[in-house]
Amino acid sequence: MEEFSELVAAIAGFMWGWPLLILLLGTHLFLTFRLRFIQRYIGKGIKLSIKKDKDSHGDISQFSALATSLAATIGTGNIIGVATAVSLGGPGAVFWIWLTGVFGISTKYAEGLLAVKYRKRNPDGSFSGGPMYVLEYGLKNKFLAVLFALFTSIAAFGIGSSIQANSIASALHASFGIHKVYIGIVLFILTGAIIIGGIKSIARVCDKLVPFMAVFYVLGCLLILALGYETLFYSLKVIIKTAFTGQTAVGGFAGSTIIMAARFGVARGLFSNESGLGSAPIVAAVAQTRNPVRQALVSATGTFWDTVIVCALTGLVLVNTGAWASGKAGIEITQYAFDRFFYGYGGVFLSIALVTFAFSTIIGWSYYAEKTTEYLFGKKSIRYYKVLYLITVFLGTVLSLDIVWNLGDIFNGLMAIPNLISLVLLSSILVSETKKYLWNNRLDDCDKNSY
């Protein structure tokens, strides 16, 4: 078992090493230039996200689709992942995380556009979509479509359910001493009550939970930065400088090179915002929108909020408080930073943040796997999948998940490959649709295929 664990860890390390990082970042850069720096329309996307698209068809509103994707995206990676990147890559990793988010906006836009364009209407009037439909109907490749759906369904039991449940149980047990079995039972019941109602039930919860958890955490970060305003400008200079020079040893920090800063910053940024993985467009495909470009602009704001704002704020707090050089690891680094300004209650604050972040990921990812399972085995299979998903939620709270973490990383990486292939090969469709609706100022036009 130990040898198998080491093998899985080695495969996960290779999967999220330079090959996949180059493939993801390369796609981000390619689409950024192919779409004439679509990031400049992020303000328009934010405005569209809070407006109801009247006279349009879909299962949930554009805001609900965005909230659900953010629920799945904003998770432990925004706290633990950023801390890991900064502890291994130094302050410069924060710059690379931020830059990855900026360029990732173009890929998230592209995924959302294709998801709506190639979505299909079911006999009951509901919609289905995502990379598996893009691959089958857009790229005409059923084999890659099945692979994507299979990888996503498997990944959901790791990164979506058990790993997130484990993070919740560990945080609540450490901060409040609650037994993990009790936490597992409560999570089982709460998750079941939400996901049994499908996307509309999930969206209703995400509409309320996501704004609360994001504002709660962001305000905490801004408060810490405001209290440490005297060194804020200096910290920004250090982040930018060390992104291109590396960092010499300081305190408990062993020092880093520019390669380390870039690698860990890019890796954590990509893993956090999920741009290119193909998960978010599954829910974007069911949004009420009159044409693919409108929803694509809304989808793109997900990466902006997740990485350009939340991850960047976490990194800035870690650098400005000096926590990055404390010699601690993982969440202990972030807790150290928050404890300095919350007088020993930083652990409680982070526990609340982690629990809301992780729980939202559980319910968001449940929908992703529900739709990929439906694609593979039909609508009747959903009931069995939900039971299995809930079981893994409970098991995640009481079992050690070292192998599951690495398996989750592997299948997350495998998801990205067929999805990125479709984005690159269908880039001419992306350009033509963007030109038709955005560049020609026809965002209010209706596309009959979106109905």
Side-chain angles (χ1 to χ4, degrees):
M1 192 65 181
E2 185 177 342
E3 291 179 355
F4 176 70
S5 179
E6 291 176 356
L7 175 63
V8 171
I11 295 173
F14 172 78
M15 178 65 66
W16 282 95
W18 284 114
L20 186 56
L21 297 186
I22 291 173
L23 183 60
L24 278 164
L25 192 57
T27 303
H28 291 353
L29 292 170
F30 170 74
L31 292 173
T32 293
F33 291 106
R34 192 87 165 87
L35 296 168
R36 303 179 190 175
F37 204 79
I38 199 70
Q39 290 87 339
R40 60 198 168 107
Y41 296 101
I42 199 69
K44 188 180 289 293
I46 293 173
K47 290 179 181 178
L48 288 173
S49 70
I50 57 177
K51 291 172 58 178
K52 285 191 176 182
D53 199 354
K54 297 179 180 179
D55 302 321
S56 60
H57 292 255
D59 298 341
I60 55 177
S61 69
Q62 290 181 315
F63 178 79
S64 292
L66 174 63
T68 304
S69 68
L70 280 174
T73 304
I74 297 180
T76 54
N78 295 80
I79 299 176
I80 302 175
V82 174
T84 301
V86 175
S87 64
L88 296 174
V94 178
F95 173 82
W96 293 107
I97 289 172
W98 180 83
L99 197 64
T100 301
V102 171
F103 285 113
I105 289 172
S106 62
T107 302
K108 189 63 73 72
Y109 168 88
E111 291 176 309
L113 192 157
L114 293 178
V116 175
K117 181 170 181 60
Y118 292 106
R119 69 183 181 178
K120 74 163 192 171
R121 191 160 194 167
N122 302 313
D124 62 0
S126 64
F127 285 88
S128 295
M132 53 278 195
Y133 293 93
V134 174
L135 287 161
E136 181 177 354
Y137 300 116
L139 206 59
K140 310 296 183 185
N141 194 313
K142 178 76 172 180
F143 176 71
L144 288 180
V146 170
L147 281 183
F148 172 84
L150 181 63
F151 294 149
T152 304
S153 297
I154 296 174
F157 294 117
I159 194 65
S161 61
S162 58
I163 290 174
Q164 303 301 327
N166 186 267
S167 297
I168 291 173
S170 298
L172 292 178
H173 180 71
S175 296
F176 306 106
I178 305 174
H179 199 287
K180 291 184 178 181
V181 171
Y182 300 146
I183 298 170
I185 294 171
V186 172
L187 278 180
F188 182 95
I189 295 171
L190 284 178
T191 305
I194 295 170
I195 70 174
I196 196 171
I199 184 57
K200 292 186 178 180
S201 175
I202 293 171
R204 280 196 298 270
V205 174
C206 292
D207 281 353
K208 298 175 177 61
L209 180 60
V210 170
F212 164 77
M213 72 182 196
V215 171
F216 175 78
Y217 182 71
V218 167
L219 286 178
C221 290
L222 290 176
L223 177 60
I224 292 176
L225 293 175
L227 293 173
Y229 73 94
E230 292 179 345
T231 56
L232 190 56
F233 183 69
Y234 174 76
S235 295
L236 288 169
K237 286 176 61 178
V238 169
I239 288 171
I240 295 172
K241 179 181 178 181
T242 57
F244 300 97
T245 62
Q247 171 67 47
T248 55
V250 177
F253 180 66
S256 69
T257 64
I258 180 177
I259 298 297
M260 291 172 66
R263 178 188 173 185
F264 291 111
V266 170
R268 287 301 95 189
L270 291 172
F271 194 80
S272 173
N273 61 52
E274 298 184 10
S275 293
L277 293 191
S279 50
I282 295 175
V283 69
V286 301
Q288 295 166 350
T289 184
R290 67 186 72 184
N291 62 63
V293 172
R294 287 176 72 96
Q295 179 55 37
L297 289 169
V298 173
S299 295
T301 65
T303 297
F304 172 78
W305 294 122
D306 173 85
T307 308
V308 179
I309 301 298
V310 179
C311 283
L313 282 175
T314 301
L316 191 54
V317 165
L318 298 180
V319 175
N320 200 50
T321 58
W324 67 276
S326 63
K328 299 182 182 298
I331 192 173
E332 292 180 356
I333 301 174
T334 316
Q335 184 174 334
Y336 176 85
F338 278 80
D339 272 340
R340 291 188 62 188
F341 290 92
F342 287 122
Y343 306 102
Y345 289 96
V348 175
F349 179 92
L350 284 181
S351 292
I352 295 172
L354 268 176
V355 167
T356 54
F357 281 16
F359 183 68
S360 70
T361 300
I362 290 174
I363 59 177
W365 264 86
S366 73
Y367 180 71
Y368 296 161
E370 175 182 324
K371 299 307 288 186
T372 52
T373 302
E374 178 187 338
Y375 178 82
L376 290 170
F377 306 112
K379 212 169 186 67
K380 291 183 179 179
S381 66
I382 294 177
R383 68 186 71 173
Y384 304 108
Y385 139 74
K386 287 181 177 178
V387 172
L388 187 58
Y389 192 83
L390 290 172
I391 291 173
T392 60
V393 168
F394 176 78
L395 292 176
T397 62
V398 295
L399 298 178
S400 176
L401 298 176
D402 292 342
I403 294 179
V404 178
W405 270 99
N406 288 319
L407 285 172
D409 282 354
I410 291 171
F411 284 103
N412 264 161
L414 290 173
M415 284 170 58
I417 295 173
N419 181 54
L420 293 174
I421 290 173
S422 70
L423 294 177
V424 172
L425 295 183
L426 295 174
S427 62
S428 59
I429 301 293
L430 294 170
V431 172
S432 64
E433 290 290 303
T434 303
K435 180 180 180 181
K436 178 180 178 181
Y437 293 107
L438 183 60
W439 297 337
N440 289 338
N441 295 314
R442 295 173 57 190
L443 272 179
D444 292 332
D445 287 4
C446 292
D447 177 9
K448 63 179 180 179
N449 293 325
S450 297
Y451 288 76

